[in-house]
Amino acid sequence: MSEAPVGLNSTVSATHRDAAPPRPLWQVIFVRPETLTFVLLVLAIFAGGQLSPYFLDIRYILDSFTLTAELSLLALILTLVIIAGEIDLSPASAMALSACLFAYAMSFDWPMWICVSIGIGSGLIMGAINSALIIGLQLPSIIVTIGTLTLYRGLAQVIAGDKSIRVPEWYIGIDKVQVLGLPAPDLIFILAAIALAFLLGMTVWGRQIYQTGTNETAAIYAGIRTRRIKAVLFLATGVTASIAGMIFISRLGSVRYDLGLGGELQMVLMAMLGGTYIFGGRGTILGTFLAALLLSVISTGMTTANLLPATQLCVLGVLLVLSIIATNFIYSRTQR
Amino acid sequence: MIGSLLRRREAGILLMIVLFCVFVGILRPRFLTLDQFRIILLLIPLIMIGAMGQMLVIIARHVDLSIGSIQGLAAMLTALMFKFHPEIPWGFGFVVAIGVGLGLGVINGVLVTAFNLPAIIVTLGTLSLYRGLTFIVSNAKQIDRQFVPAALKAMSQDSPTYAVPWIIVIALAVAMATYWFANRTLVGRQIYAMGSNPIAAPLRGIRVNAVTILVFAISGALAGLSGIMYASRWGFVNPSNTGTGFEFQVIAAVVIGGVSINGGVGSVPGVVLGVFLMGCVSAALPLLGIPGTSQAAIYGAVIVIALLIDRSVRMRANAALSSARGRE
């Protein structure tokens, strides 16, 4: 592609232009949104350390991360969806509905495998509904998932009413379980991040996700089955939502329909803060991973500093807008 | 050809309303009485006003998720003014509410246009920001009935004519003004042009950024107006309840009212009928013995159903277009 125009232009000296010099390696490595996320993370931990010495204790950070581990898990898979050029606002609601069904099944003392299949199966069905509407019927994912966001949360309210459903004692306390010195939810998150980072960065399938988001028409002509990729991503989001729901219940001990209410804000915020490009085609799991840590530190920091939940909500809202402005700015300054 | 399809679209919504009312009427004859009609009418003014703004936003190919929070913040600031400065005439509350809404809407519009950001993310952010501010300005406390001026509350009871309360009259006036704006003014037509072809619009000399900001400003101002009407209708303003979920009710009403999510298509009569349908559904639930907790599920289902209808209408329109081309 680059050779043909140069050959043509060299015969007409007036229009001859040198190819733009490649960006220096240090720029390719460092001028990217993830760097900003990392710097912010270091700053946030440092600022937290000023508030309370606990912040410099890795144990404290790990323990407090369990509070946002479920939404962080969802943010990882949402990152893939956004890179593929779509968006899904419904996972937080899907998590609530699947968790309600799971807890409801458990309240009948049914065997565990049935409860788990109900939970995962409901997540799969919700993902399938999203993909049928978005990929099958070619409807825009923004409005579809606003609709299913309302629908899934509403169904959870129909099932659970305004009461909370308790789960058996033995099921409670996944955040207290230590595996390899890590709280179990943190470990699940880290393993999921490594697996998805490998998938996205190292496999053909991962590169095809980037292709799909960068230019779907070109991707189709290149023989990439973009519809199948997107459908799988929405299904995976549904399943991840149900797994996140199970972790959530185990941590809380009971579930209400408003589980993770407004969680879509935090999920989207993690993806945006990690430098995922909202119009698709760019972004990394590393970025979302760092952003999830950053957000956990910020939330814990704000709670330590005795900020009202309302103030925290304001901060998250402002952060979302600022992070997307910063990400767009950085991408507009670097070559596509 | 397309025009007749659109006309059929509004007829379709009307048919849905009639079928729904007949269905509920057969099960519960009480549904078809004048009292019920009044209940339905009282349910719709807030959604109607919010829907007019949201309609313009969606026609312009954007979406405004922050209107519920704008309603809450505008209502809260107005109610705080009533509480701490009772000497200010109550009518001034309308100026405050609409002004606050306008300002918040302009912030949305400027963020969307100045940085070229998708409206859904911007308004998801401001949704949280405005809701948080509502809690902060109110100290997370409700403004109770006694602080809301009696004259304002009376607007939901008293009527200028035929037992139709003032807030319904205001809602209808807003709908008519929107009809005039969307169909009879240059800017109104430009909104449709932007939505039907965002690439062609600037080439035709439409100032896309200015019109986009205007659209969000209108949506915000109307959400502000719905805020003071919330205070009138319910007599209190609560930082966590006022306006929460309002955006989903409004989006449901707008899309069932025939506004295409792909932009450029939608009419005021259609949206008015859509709002009326939502009112009928809300009024029918308690009569049918369906608990109020299923409201949200129904709004969600309505949005999904409306998307399916939108798609089938678009397919028919495309088929009609191509068959018309084939005959040429």
Side-chain angles (χ1 to χ4, degrees):
Chain A
M1 177 68 201
S2 64
E3 280 162 13
V6 169
L8 275 175
N9 288 345
S10 61
T11 59
V12 189
S13 60
T15 57
H16 176 77
R17 273 182 300 167
D18 285 321
R23 289 201 300 147
L25 190 64
W26 68 268
Q27 271 196 18
V28 176
I29 296 175
F30 291 111
V31 181
R32 52 193 309 153
E34 290 88 344
T35 318
L36 186 65
T37 318
F38 184 70
V39 171
L40 285 176
L41 177 60
V42 173
L43 285 179
I45 293 177
F46 187 71
Q50 301 293 313
L51 282 171
S52 143
Y54 287 120
F55 266 98
L56 302 174
D57 181 4
I58 185 78
R59 276 244 66 81
Y60 182 72
I61 294 181
L62 285 175
D63 283 344
S64 58
F65 185 77
T66 55
L67 297 178
T68 51
E70 301 88 2
L71 291 175
S72 309
L73 193 61
L74 282 174
L76 291 177
I77 191 90
L78 181 67
T79 306
L80 301 194
V81 175
I82 297 178
I83 291 176
E86 300 285 339
I87 193 155
D88 192 348
L89 293 178
S90 68
S93 297
M95 175 173 81
L97 176 53
S98 146
C100 282
L101 286 169
F102 179 64
Y104 200 57
M106 281 181 96
S107 68
F108 287 120
D109 284 330
W110 286 347
M112 194 58 192
W113 64 271
I114 293 186
C115 303
V116 171
S117 1
I118 287 176
I120 305 266
S122 64
L124 200 62
I125 291 171
M126 285 184 271
I129 293 174
N130 280 340
S131 13
L133 291 168
I134 296 164
I135 290 106
L137 300 181
Q138 309 253 302
L139 295 168
S141 54
I142 292 178
I143 306 272
V144 167
T145 55
I146 288 177
T148 51
L149 155 87
T150 322
L151 179 65
Y152 298 159
R153 177 80 62 192
L155 288 176
Q157 201 178 2
V158 171
I159 290 167
D162 289 332
K163 293 186 290 291
S164 60
I165 308 174
R166 288 200 62 79
V167 289
E169 282 298 322
W170 63 265
Y171 187 72
I172 300 172
I174 193 173
D175 53 325
K176 301 284 184 288
V177 178
Q178 304 278 328
V179 186
L180 305 174
L182 290 169
D186 292 15
L187 186 72
I188 295 172
F189 171 69
I190 292 170
L191 290 179
I194 292 172
L196 287 178
F198 173 76
L199 179 81
L200 191 62
M202 307 280 187
T203 65
V204 174
W205 209 74
R207 304 318 295 175
Q208 289 183 343
I209 295 179
Y210 282 106
Q211 275 285 300
T212 307
T214 311
N215 187 336
E216 186 166 3
T217 316
I220 292 170
Y221 282 123
I224 297 172
R225 281 181 273 213
T226 57
R227 288 158 60 93
R228 181 185 292 184
I229 286 178
K230 287 181 182 180
V232 169
L233 284 178
F234 279 108
L235 285 176
T237 310
V239 172
T240 314
S242 62
I243 295 172
M246 289 173 190
I247 302 173
F248 220 131
I249 303 181
S250 171
R251 191 161 62 76
L252 295 183
S254 67
V255 52
R256 274 165 46 108
Y257 78 92
D258 57 358
L259 178 87
L261 188 66
E264 51 279 354
L265 170 77
Q266 291 178 45
M267 280 161 15
V268 174
L269 176 55
M270 284 175 204
M272 295 294 111
L273 210 51
T276 313
Y277 189 48
I278 184 64
F279 299 110
R282 306 184 104 179
T284 54
I285 290 294
L286 175 68
T288 306
F289 181 82
L290 292 173
L293 289 180
L294 172 62
L295 210 59
S296 159
V297 171
I298 291 176
S299 306
T300 324
M302 289 194 297
T303 311
T304 316
N306 272 328
L307 286 186
L308 292 171
T311 318
Q312 303 193 12
L313 197 61
C314 286
V315 172
L316 296 185
V318 172
L319 260 184
L320 176 59
V321 175
L322 288 183
S323 68
I324 175 172
I325 292 174
T327 306
N328 283 8
F329 180 76
I330 292 172
Y331 282 141
S332 72
R333 286 302 157 100
T334 54
Q335 284 173 307
R336 288 225 58 160
Chain B
M1 187 70 203
I2 296 176
S4 72
L5 270 172
L6 284 180
R7 252 174 277 139
R8 252 193 271 159
R9 182 95 186 245
E10 274 125 35
I13 308 163
L14 197 59
L15 188 69
M16 280 199 287
I17 296 178
V18 172
L19 284 179
F20 181 80
C21 288
V22 168
F23 173 73
V24 181
I26 291 170
L27 291 174
R28 299 280 186 282
R30 196 153 58 87
F31 187 68
L32 299 176
T33 58
L34 207 57
D35 271 354
Q36 270 300 318
F37 190 65
R38 256 182 74 90
I39 291 175
I40 294 172
L41 280 188
L42 274 175
L43 281 169
I44 62 177
L46 298 182
I47 302 181
M48 176 101 88
I49 289 176
M52 289 301 135
Q54 188 73 257
M55 179 190 89
L56 295 177
V57 175
I58 295 184
I59 287 175
R61 273 206 199 185
H62 292 285
V63 66
D64 189 349
L65 292 181
S66 67
I67 53 169
S69 298
I70 294 180
Q71 185 192 64
L73 185 52
M76 186 51 81
L77 287 172
T78 314
L80 284 170
M81 183 193 81
F82 289 146
K83 182 174 177 182
F84 291 108
H85 298 283
E87 72 281 1
I88 295 175
W90 65 273
F92 191 68
F94 280 89
V95 180
V96 173
I98 295 175
V100 169
L102 187 71
L104 300 176
V106 168
I107 293 176
N108 284 338
V110 168
L111 284 173
V112 168
T113 53
F115 301 100
N116 210 3
L117 305 177
I120 183 150
I121 304 290
V122 169
T123 55
L124 187 64
T126 53
L127 166 108
S128 317
L129 174 62
Y130 299 161
R131 177 63 58 189
L133 287 175
T134 310
F135 277 97
I136 291 172
V137 296
S138 65
N139 259 329
K141 287 195 189 70
Q142 173 172 318
I143 306 286
D144 290 322
R145 286 194 73 81
Q146 68 267 27
F147 299 113
V148 178
L152 181 62
K153 281 182 281 191
M155 289 188 71
S156 301
Q157 317 289 331
D158 294 353
S159 68
T161 171
Y162 296 116
V164 178
W166 273 107
I167 57 167
I168 295 169
V169 175
I170 294 177
L172 286 177
V174 168
M176 283 197 266
T178 313
Y179 182 80
W180 172 80
F181 173 71
N183 292 303
R184 294 278 182 271
T185 67
L186 180 64
V187 180
R189 301 317 296 168
Q190 289 181 339
I191 296 174
Y192 280 90
M194 269 167 50
S196 16
N197 193 334
I199 299 167
L203 298 177
R204 278 179 46 181
I206 296 175
R207 290 184 300 165
V208 173
N209 284 0
V211 177
T212 306
I213 294 175
L214 178 75
V215 164
F216 278 98
I218 294 173
S219 171
L222 290 178
L225 175 62
S226 76
I228 190 167
M229 288 171 61
Y230 184 99
S232 162
R233 174 76 180 80
W234 303 105
F236 64 86
V237 177
N238 183 300
S240 64
N241 288 344
T242 302
T244 306
F246 182 60
E247 57 275 9
F248 299 121
Q249 297 174 15
V250 166
I251 290 174
V254 168
V255 292
I256 197 78
V259 176
S260 170
I261 40 176
N262 292 306
V265 174
S267 73
V268 172
V271 173
V272 169
L273 288 173
V275 172
F276 194 75
L277 179 61
M278 298 302 289
C280 290
V281 173
S282 297
L285 291 184
L287 277 184
L288 294 172
I290 298 170
T293 47
S294 48
Q295 285 253 356
I298 288 169
Y299 290 133
V302 165
I303 295 180
V304 174
I305 292 168
L307 291 175
L308 295 176
I309 297 174
D310 182 56
R311 181 187 138 84
S312 72
V313 167
R314 218 161 357 114
M315 296 301 245
R316 265 196 311 184
N318 285 346
L321 263 180
S322 48
S323 77
R325 281 209 193 100
R327 259 182 270 126
E328 273 167 18

